[in-house]
Amino acid sequence: MADIKVRLLSENEWQLFREVRLTALRDAPQAFVARYEDEASYDDDFWRERMRRATRIVAERGAEPVGLVSLGGHDDDPEAAAVFGLWTSPEVRGQRVAWGLVTAARQKAAEDGSEFLYFWVGSDNSSAVAFASSFGFRPTSERRPVRVADGESEKDADEVAMVLPLLEDPTRPKNRF
């Protein structure tokens, strides 16, 4: 990950966000609650507004974007934030790019005063559950049906809310990874 930089996108970088988001939708359509065809047709104002709704964080190798995650609110809870839309390019998977993106989201959420960070993962997605768990997220009792691009829910599939406390707990050992 040494040659990969992670940074927050500014509001005027909406075109870069659009480019990376559309690349993610083409690469892993099953991972998002949206369709490439729909989002590719949205106008510039849509993308500008989307930049105002959440913090967008990009990973870049040189000038090439190789990862993306978003940070926004969690429900109506002013003490909680949520990461969503996590994607890494196939050529950098397994190189800790997702870790760097979520680390940046965690830091930004803590700077913004959030006490908890949520991450919704498919309960049957063992890789996502393992990643979140290794990062320090813990499963909650909150569940919701998996949502798909047409706005419907997948039958018999659910997501679990995993939560990461952002305040220091002196009784908890540090995650050295």
Side-chain angles (χ1 to χ4, degrees), residues 1-142:
M1 173 123 166
D3 63 333
I4 295 176
K5 303 280 190 245
V6 174
R7 67 182 181 87
L8 277 61
L9 291 176
S10 67
E11 191 174 315
N12 65 356
E13 293 182 286
W14 63 269
Q15 291 171 311
L16 176 58
F17 170 64
R18 178 184 187 271
E19 171 192 330
V20 182
R21 171 73 177 180
L22 293 176
T23 299
L25 287 171
R26 277 192 304 268
D27 174 57
Q30 72 285 354
F32 298 96
V33 186
R35 294 174 354 130
Y36 171 82
E37 296 78 14
D38 295 335
E39 293 205 3
S41 71
Y42 295 150
D43 66 12
D44 296 352
D45 289 337
F46 171 86
W47 292 99
R48 286 184 185 100
E49 175 58 30
R50 197 173 239 190
M51 288 298 289
R52 290 188 283 272
R53 290 190 338 218
T55 300
R56 312 302 177 165
I57 304 167
V58 67
E60 297 168 309
R61 181 172 38 204
E64 177 189 1
V66 294
L68 182 70
V69 74
S70 295
L71 174 69
H74 174 71
D75 297 333
D76 291 326
D77 186 347
E79 296 177 343
V83 291
F84 59 95
L86 177 61
W87 172 80
T88 59
S89 178
E91 66 265 11
V92 299
R93 290 182 187 149
Q95 297 179 32
R96 299 181 57 86
V97 174
W99 190 277
L101 288 163
V102 175
T103 296
R106 180 191 67 209
Q107 290 169 342
K108 176 68 171 140
E111 287 170 12
D112 290 347
S114 296
E115 295 181 18
F116 302 96
L117 185 61
Y118 280 79
F119 186 18
W120 286 94
V121 298
S123 58
D124 63 348
N125 185 340
S126 58
S127 296
V129 171
F131 168 77
S133 296
S134 70
F135 199 91
F137 286 89
R138 295 296 173 249
T140 69
S141 61
E142 290 181 71

Side-chain angles (χ1 to χ4, degrees), residues 142-162:
E142 290 181 71
R143 300 284 191 278
R144 68 182 183 194
V146 171
R147 297 171 297 154
V148 294
D150 62 8
E152 298 296 319
S153 299
E154 255 184 50
K155 187 175 177 135
D156 300 326
D158 70 346
E159 293 178 317
V160 58
M162 299 188 72

